[in-house]
Amino acid sequence: MPGNRSKSDKDNGAKQFRRDPYEVLGVSRNSTDQEIKTAYRKMALKYHPDKNANDPKATDMFKEVTFSYNILSDPDKRRQYDSAGFEAVESDSQELELDLSSLGAVNTMFAALFSKLGVPIKTTVSATVLEEALNGLVTIRPLPLGHFISKRVEKQCAHFYSVTITEEEAQAGFVCRVQASDKSKFKLLYFDHEDNGGLSLALQEDSAKTGKVTSAGMYFLGFPVYRLDQTINSIAAAKDQDTSFFRKLDGFQPCELTELKAGTHVFAIYGDNFFRSANYTIEVVCAASFGEEKENLRNIESQILSKRAEMSKFETEYREVLTQFTEMTNRYAHEMQAVDQLLKQRNEIHASYTVAPLKHSSSKIRNKSSSKEAKEDDQARDEKNTRDHPRKKKWYNINLRVDKRKAC
């Protein structure tokens, strides 16, 4: 009878049957990030558990698609996989994007609890919303350029807006920004038009807390613009403070789209709270009158890229010095203990030359008790002498008797 396989053997067997992530998503090795993301979203929507509740094969396919996308969507993991395959990828640390609409009340409660405790929970847009958009079943409200609209969106639901821009406005660039209260979470979405009249998700920006509000924005300015993925820094912060510091700029990645053509474009606000709705304000502005801000943004993001390269070099130097400091600290503690031990042994040797060790504490107690006894004896002796010798009468205590019968 064959013996049971160990856990490592089972893991190796599982790795052996893994398919190439590029093959799973149906993309080439030279595919861009946008092509990989588009392929993932289409396949995730096709095999989503909500649409295939009684199909275990679809569930397995959905997990395989998600696992493949987690590798290819991360530049570092994709580079590691291209150079050394699955062995170079830390599969245990792969993140899963949760669709809160499919979790149920109990699981949603646990996810909310972990999120409040600081555990990074990455969520995805509901499959129902994506399917309705793909089939052209969503209501789209017009949003004039230079105006804002304030609404409330329910959890795991979306509000769609259309923005029409001219050729001149497209060349000048424009910005779509959304703000909400500090306790509201949402996603800003951008959709591409499909041939069948539907909409497919192309860009997604998660809200981030900035001061007393949460905000998200998409910037189409005609030059490379970067976005900061807060999830990467949250995961690093969970490890240790130093890692959090050196990984703070790792999530600074270029946006997939830097400019849009003239025409009508569709944005959406997706409510990403666990239990409640989100109040928001959305506005789209032309960047023609923000020439100075555009130049400042380009300069500051260039400095951030330079600083990220410097941080990588500084981390190496810091780790080396920290290792030396730790070694010196450990040696300091060891040497201090050794010196104290030697001095203790020396004192013990000195003490061994004494014939009768003095007991200062006991002698002090005896002296104190003997002095107390002597004092008590003196008091008793004084009292006895007082009883034996009556007091002498003073001259002013003479008893003079006067005979009242005799005249003076």
Side-chain angles (χ1 to χ4, degrees), residues 384-397:
K384 184 177 180 182
N385 293 334
T386 303
R387 289 194 301 267
D388 294 342
H389 303 282
R391 290 182 300 174
K392 295 181 179 180
K393 291 185 178 182
K394 303 295 183 179
W395 65 269
Y396 49 79
N397 287 333

Side-chain angles (χ1 to χ4, degrees), residues 5 13 20 89 97 120 128 156 171 193 270 307 317 340 354 356 387 392 401:
R5 291 193 302 170
D20 180 24
V89 180
E97 293 186 344
T128 303
Q156 287 81 61
Q171 291 180 358
H193 292 275
Y270 178 79
K307 179 60 66 176
E317 299 174 356
D340 291 342
T354 304
R387 289 194 301 267
K392 295 181 179 180
R401 296 192 180 199

Side-chain angles (χ1 to χ4, degrees), residues 148-389:
F148 67 89
I149 295 178
S150 298
K151 290 281 186 180
R152 172 184 293 180
V153 61
E154 297 298 325
K155 60 185 179 67
Q156 287 81 61
C157 295
H159 291 172
F160 290 79
Y161 297 94
S162 62
V163 180
T164 302
I165 59 175
T166 63
E167 186 69 33
E168 183 180 356
E169 291 168 340
Q171 291 180 358
F174 70 98
V175 175
C176 178
R177 280 187 56 82
V178 183
Q179 286 189 345
S181 60
D182 59 343
K183 295 182 180 179
S184 294
K185 293 178 61 179
F186 63 89
K187 297 180 186 294
L188 175 59
L189 311 176
Y190 173 77
F191 288 84
D192 282 334
H193 292 275
E194 295 293 330
D195 296 335
N196 63 350
L199 302 169
S200 62
L201 183 60
L203 295 177
Q204 172 180 311
E205 186 74 21
D206 290 353
S207 62
K209 189 173 181 180
T210 53
K212 296 182 179 180
V213 299
T214 55
S215 62
M218 292 184 180
Y219 303 84
F220 308 96
L221 303 176
F223 58 86
V225 179
Y226 291 78
R227 57 186 295 271
L228 183 61
D229 188 355
Q230 300 287 350
T231 308
I232 296 178
N233 190 41
S234 299
I235 296 173
K239 296 180 179 179
D240 62 82
Q241 187 176 1
D242 291 342
T243 303
S244 174
F245 171 69
F246 289 111
R247 296 290 178 268
K248 194 168 187 176
L249 298 180
D250 284 4
F252 195 68
Q253 301 295 334
C255 297
E256 291 87 349
L257 296 178
T258 59
E259 58 182 351
L260 296 178
K261 296 181 179 180
T264 301
H265 301 275
V266 178
F267 296 88
I269 310 300
Y270 178 79
D272 204 26
N273 283 333
F274 287 100
F275 296 107
R276 59 182 179 178
S277 58
N279 297 317
Y280 68 89
T281 298
I282 180 173
E283 61 177 339
V284 179
V285 296
C286 180
S289 59
F290 295 91
E292 183 179 354
E293 286 78 5
K294 288 170 61 176
E295 191 63 29
N296 291 339
L297 178 62
R298 180 183 293 187
N299 291 335
I300 199 67
E301 289 191 340
S302 176
Q303 295 179 33
I304 292 175
L305 291 176
S306 300
K307 179 60 66 176
R308 184 173 64 179
E310 294 176 7
M311 293 288 289
S312 178
K313 181 180 178 181
F314 174 59
E315 181 181 9
T316 303
E317 299 174 356
Y318 174 81
R319 299 292 183 187
E320 293 176 354
V321 175
L322 181 62
T323 301
Q324 296 177 359
F325 175 77
T326 304
E327 293 176 353
M328 291 296 103
T329 303
N330 293 337
R331 181 179 176 183
Y332 176 86
H334 176 73
E335 296 295 344
M336 177 181 290
Q337 184 179 4
V339 169
D340 291 342
Q341 184 65 26
L342 292 174
L343 292 176
K344 182 180 178 181
Q345 294 177 0
R346 176 177 177 273
N347 292 336
E348 292 176 351
I349 295 175
H350 283 182
S352 64
Y353 286 99
T354 304
V355 177
L358 296 176
K359 297 182 180 180
H360 298 284
S361 58
S362 59
S363 61
K364 287 182 180 179
I365 294 174
R366 285 198 300 270
N367 293 336
K368 187 181 293 185
S369 60
S370 59
S371 62
K372 186 177 181 180
E373 291 175 356
K375 187 176 182 180
E376 292 177 351
D377 292 342
D378 293 339
Q379 292 178 353
R381 191 179 301 107
D382 292 339
E383 292 177 357
K384 184 177 180 182
N385 293 334
T386 303
R387 289 194 301 267
D388 294 342
H389 303 282

Side-chain angles (χ1 to χ4, degrees), residues 38-51:
T38 301
Y40 161 71
R41 285 169 177 161
K42 289 181 178 180
M43 296 192 71
L45 183 61
K46 179 180 179 181
Y47 296 106
H48 198 279
D50 284 355
K51 299 179 61 177

Side-chain angles (χ1 to χ4, degrees), residues 19 23-26 37-63 65-66 99 124-132 134-135 200:
R19 289 196 297 159
E23 178 186 348
V24 173
L25 297 180
K37 184 174 293 186
T38 301
Y40 161 71
R41 285 169 177 161
K42 289 181 178 180
M43 296 192 71
L45 183 61
K46 179 180 179 181
Y47 296 106
H48 198 279
D50 284 355
K51 299 179 61 177
N52 306 273
N54 299 322
D55 189 354
K57 292 184 179 180
T59 302
D60 293 339
M61 188 64 185
F62 178 78
K63 293 179 180 179
V65 168
T66 304
D99 182 356
T124 185
V125 181
S126 169
T128 303
V129 173
L130 296 179
E131 185 177 7
E132 290 177 351
L134 192 60
N135 295 329
S200 62

